[in-house]
Amino acid sequence: MSNTLWSDRQGDDWRTKVGLAEMLKGGVIMDVVTPDQAKIAQDAGAQAVMALERVPADIRAHGGVARMSDPKIVEGIQSAVSIPVMAKCRIGHFVEAQILQSLGVDFIDESEVLTPADDQFHVEKRSFKVPFVCGCRNLGEALRRIGEGAAMIRTKGEAGTGDVVEAVRHLRTVIGEMRRISVLPKEELMSTARDLGAPYELVVEVAERRTLPVPNFSAGGVATPADAALMMQLGAEAVFVGSGIFKSNNPERRARAIVDAVAYYNDPDKLAKISEDLGEAMSGMSSSAMAEEERLAGRGW
Amino acid sequence: MRIGVLAFQGDFARHINAVTGHGAEAVAVRTPEGVERSDAMIIPGGESTTIGMLCERFGLLEVIRDRIAGGMPVFGTCAGAILLAREIVESDQVRFGSLDIGIRRNAYGRQRESFEADIELASGGTFRGVFIRAPKIERVGTGISVLGSLDGNPVLIARDGIWAATFHPELTADRRIHAEFLEYAATVATGV
């Protein structure tokens, strides 16, 4: 058995995939549904955009089956901006992923926000040239996705609610579990891997390095600059904002304020200024009042 | 010697690791005061539009530009190289513009076209280059040395204390390029 860690044994394209995720640390990735919104996001300082047909709040309101966006929407957004463009495929829908790769999106989000296409299996992500980001609620789920080839992890939160509580819970869970396994003696790691439902080699790596092998971002429920800074202070390395920007009443200002808040997440004096006079945030819905079947975060196996 | 790593966005943490691994002090810089306290700076990879915009909004753009003009050594990788370029093809984005080169963003294509390749160093030997949505240097002004090239194109260049790479030496374990920049910066800092 080699004594190198899992990450050190990955091939060349692993480094370019995780490398792009590294380039996206410390910034904000914004959901957009039109080229105009993509430009607003870029002009506000977004480091990447997620091209969608509907933001999560509208997916909830619309009901029915949520699928990959029309390629026309993705292409329109790609030609409108110079920053990376991401897009979502359904969980397990490897043909949607193939189509998104063919369109040349920079990251594919295999996302619980869309209706799952497979209720047991995720996409095998290693065979794709384009990197994947996947959601998680805990360390086991994060390591299963990384084992399948995800080059970026985002904690799920509860998308489309504007309520940050689930994002906090998921991030604290992942970080707490990493902290816990980092102090375990080696002989306990195999049973821990079994209990987490995670690949043993990845558990060994996390125990040694005390961090995930790929960047760990936060998503799902961020609506204000303070929410974004909260996630950063808790240990997220970047923030996804979905409905929070274009469902607010002044998207330009709010987008810029959230970018500034992530840059200065540790500076309360600056955060106070940044949070001033932004107009109404998205009204949102409390995630604790939601029925279990309305929750998106439970999707993922 | 204190190396300030511009830390608004991008892979600044990887540069900080590279610098401290070489025994120098590295600090994350987000304020004009942080720039003033630095003996040399690194502008990391990331999104050049985002980094440039935040520098402008928070008063770092002029300070960094002036310090570079005053002789502070600076090393820009990928997005950092774009921000140092005087000319960015088909873009009017904010930049320091300290280095007389013309650079094209995303010149190899999108992420699908990102790659690794061995770069030829002018000093002899090769260096493993990680190119991620990388730019291409299309024009090199007078007085600029090409220190590394790929298929005949310059990918690592320098003029006095201003260094630029279109790839990411911070993502590989090979520290030769960081070491060389830090040695140069040390001679400037100590006035030798």
Side-chain angles (χ1 to χ4, degrees), chain A residues 12 23 44 47 260 264, chain B residues 9-10 30 57 112 116 128:
Chain A
D12 275 6
M23 298 312 143
Q47 56 173 351
D260 293 351
Y264 287 105
Chain B
Q9 190 272 330
R30 296 184 179 89
R57 272 182 214 165
R112 208 173 43 188
E116 286 195 13
R128 191 68 174 167

Side-chain angles (χ1 to χ4, degrees), chain A residues 12 15, chain B residues 15 18 75 77 115-131 147-151 155-156 163 165-181:
Chain A
D12 275 6
R15 198 150 51 188
Chain B
H15 275 292
F75 182 22
T77 60
F115 63 97
E116 286 195 13
D118 286 327
I119 288 158
E120 285 177 42
L121 297 175
S123 55
T126 61
F127 190 96
R128 191 68 174 167
V130 181
F131 291 83
L147 305 179
S149 53
L150 178 67
D151 303 327
V155 294
L156 175 65
W163 294 41
T166 60
F167 57 97
H168 294 282
E170 72 280 11
L171 290 185
T172 47
D174 188 342
R175 291 284 164 260
R176 281 177 294 161
I177 294 175
H178 278 86
E180 215 178 312
F181 174 72

Side-chain angles (χ1 to χ4, degrees), chain A residues 210-260:
Chain A
R210 298 170 142 244
T211 177
L212 288 182
V214 304
N216 182 21
F217 294 5
S218 167
V222 171
T224 68
D227 289 349
L230 173 66
M231 301 318 296
M232 294 294 289
Q233 285 199 29
L234 284 171
E237 295 176 299
V239 176
F240 284 84
V241 185
S243 319
I245 290 170
F246 290 99
K247 286 285 155 191
S248 75
N249 76 357
N250 192 339
E252 287 88 349
R253 291 194 69 150
R254 187 160 294 270
R256 181 176 155 154
I258 292 177
V259 169
D260 293 351

Side-chain angles (χ1 to χ4, degrees), chain B residues 18-92:
Chain B
V19 171
T20 52
H22 194 68
E25 184 190 0
V27 287
V29 167
R30 296 184 179 89
T31 60
E33 299 73 43
V35 176
E36 293 297 356
R37 282 196 294 268
S38 300
D39 296 305
M41 281 192 74
I42 292 177
I43 317 294
E47 276 309 306
S48 58
T49 46
T50 304
I51 298 171
M53 219 175 271
L54 287 164
C55 281
E56 189 176 42
R57 272 182 214 165
F58 294 99
L60 280 75
L61 190 71
E62 293 298 331
V63 183
I64 291 175
R65 193 183 281 152
D66 291 349
R67 286 293 313 277
I68 296 173
M72 176 184 73
V74 62
F75 182 22
T77 60
C78 196
I82 293 167
L83 288 161
L84 289 172
R86 188 158 302 161
E87 181 199 348
I88 306 172
V89 179
E90 287 164 26
S91 170
D92 57 359

